Amino acid sequence: MAGGIEEITHPRALITGITGQDGSYLAEYLLDKGYEVHGLVRRSSASNRGRIEHLCDRSRYFEKTFFLHHADLEDTTTLRRLMTSIAPQEFYHLAGQSHVGLSFDIPESTCDMVAMGTLRLLEIVRDMPYKPKFFHPTSSEIFGVPFQVPQTEETPMNPVNPYGIAKVFATQMVKLYRSAFGVFACNAILYNHESPRRGEHFVSLKICRTAAEIKLGIQHELVLGNLDSQRDWGDSRDYIRAFWKMLQQEKPEDFIISTGKLHSVREMVETAFETLKLDWKLYVRQDPRFFRPLEPYALVGDSSKAKKALGWEPRISFKEMIQEMVSHELDRLQKAKRAESFSIKA
């Protein structure tokens, strides 16, 4: 693969953030389509591969059509070397600090990872002789307190948290490199999306996991912030289909990827506890410490452009998604409990 100039027998894709929720699903999706998939893994998360462990089966994918490389987004030299060596046709940049609440605690590192990390990669792509198509997942948080409901691709940006502000920078840079330097670069304006692989710091997994723990007697209460907070919640497996479709277009464009439906945290709680046949009111307590300093209002997307141009629309409902997440957590906890019991007996 010296210099990335040998004959390509498979479409070749590079994914940052491959160990995350979206990265792991996208890797599966591309492998099933016959891609050669390369993933960048941060050195500090070398052992955090739970979501892609099944893809590291040497008899099927690993080191045949699936490859992992160590690199940090701050290490431009290593990133440039890997990009030149791999020579991907498609580049999906999914890495970065994506927790809104956490961005208030670590605004500087959030901006460095989300904003400057994206710029560094765009600079590398700009200099490559064979530029890959570049995918950037931006966020509905760029709209903050939106000027219109629902939001479209033309809605003015008005972020109200450090994460949203960093994403505005990255989003505008993608547009700049597209118009000024001819890079095939796309922004997917993503609304909240969940799955059984959701990170543990997000409220969706906190709700589903704690509900399962209460069912098994491991926990006795669920402590949350604002139950009336609403989001446009979709499923990650639906959204990664849109990622791929965006890079198959003749010209690069930005698209809103959303369900177009608002659901509250309260609805999520009700669905999760109902799945386990529990009365949520007996176990849920609100704590003002979990309220955000500034809460976005009515973030709900109009994805009609994606439906028309990409032929994309979500398939998995909010209720189905939460039910699956709860069932997954319950099954995981029960297996862990059985394993612990067996270990004690042994």
Side-chain angles (χ1 to χ4, degrees), residues 32-299:
D32 286 344
K33 283 187 171 294
Y35 276 65
E36 179 182 305
V37 176
H38 294 256
L40 296 189
V41 181
R42 286 183 297 115
R43 294 179 181 88
S44 59
S45 60
S47 60
N48 184 24
R49 300 182 184 174
R51 297 183 182 95
I52 59 170
E53 196 63 45
H54 60 295
L55 297 178
C56 296
D57 179 356
R58 294 179 184 275
S59 66
R60 186 178 183 191
Y61 292 128
F62 196 55
E63 294 182 347
K64 294 178 180 177
T65 56
F66 181 61
F67 304 86
L68 297 178
H69 311 269
H70 290 122
D72 295 326
L73 291 183
E74 301 88 351
D75 187 351
T76 308
T77 301
T78 301
L79 289 171
R80 189 178 296 274
R81 184 183 302 123
L82 284 172
M83 286 282 288
T84 302
S85 174
I86 296 167
Q89 294 159 294
E90 298 174 9
F91 185 6
Y92 298 87
H93 175 39
L94 308 184
Q97 198 293 103
S98 60
H99 192 279
V100 173
L102 190 59
S103 75
F104 282 101
D105 298 325
I106 53 170
E108 188 174 343
S109 61
T110 295
C111 289
D112 186 65
M113 292 174 68
V114 174
M116 294 306 298
T118 303
L119 176 56
R120 293 184 193 107
L121 293 174
L122 285 167
E123 271 291 274
I124 294 172
V125 170
R126 172 189 175 187
D127 292 338
M128 293 181 71
Y130 302 101
K131 295 176 177 59
K133 294 180 177 180
F134 186 86
F135 174 87
H136 173 246
T138 188
S139 166
S140 61
E141 295 291 338
I142 64 175
F143 299 127
V145 178
F147 290 100
Q148 66 185 77
V149 179
Q151 296 84 53
T152 71
E153 289 82 2
E154 305 304 318
T155 300
M157 301 177 193
N158 186 36
V160 294
N161 56 64
Y163 172 69
I165 292 168
K167 273 298 184 185
V168 167
F169 177 94
T171 301
Q172 295 293 68
M173 278 296 174
V174 167
K175 291 184 176 185
L176 175 65
Y177 276 68
R178 182 169 68 210
S179 61
F181 304 119
V183 176
F184 191 113
C186 303
N187 288 303
I189 305 171
L190 304 179
Y191 285 68
N192 291 61
H193 49 291
E194 320 296 325
S195 77
R197 297 181 188 174
R198 193 44 149 156
E200 61 184 13
H201 296 297
F202 291 85
V203 69
S204 55
L205 184 62
K206 177 181 179 180
I207 290 169
C208 295
R209 177 172 292 176
T210 306
E213 290 174 337
I214 290 173
K215 180 70 174 181
L216 296 177
I218 300 171
Q219 293 288 346
H220 303 289
E221 70 172 1
L222 169 61
V223 183
L224 295 170
N226 185 6
L227 295 180
D228 296 318
S229 177
Q230 293 182 312
R231 291 290 184 277
D232 182 334
W233 269 298
D235 191 285
S236 174
R237 289 157 293 188
D238 278 335
Y239 284 30
I240 60 99
R241 290 188 291 107
F243 298 3
W244 179 78
K245 285 177 177 288
M246 286 176 63
L247 294 197
Q248 311 315 306
Q249 302 302 296
E250 290 186 7
K251 63 176 184 176
E253 293 184 80
D254 298 340
F255 291 91
I256 279 184
I257 306 300
S258 67
T259 70
K261 299 176 182 178
L262 277 174
H263 295 278
S264 67
V265 173
R266 190 185 307 275
E267 287 179 77
M268 184 176 284
V269 170
E270 289 173 348
T271 302
F273 279 78
E274 183 183 84
T275 302
L276 299 170
K277 296 181 170 54
L278 295 173
D279 182 353
W280 70 272
K281 294 178 182 178
L282 300 177
Y283 305 100
V284 177
R285 177 171 63 85
Q286 285 186 280
D287 189 328
R289 290 179 301 170
F290 291 101
F291 282 66
R292 289 185 189 174
L294 287 170
E295 191 69 45
Y297 173 78
L299 287 176

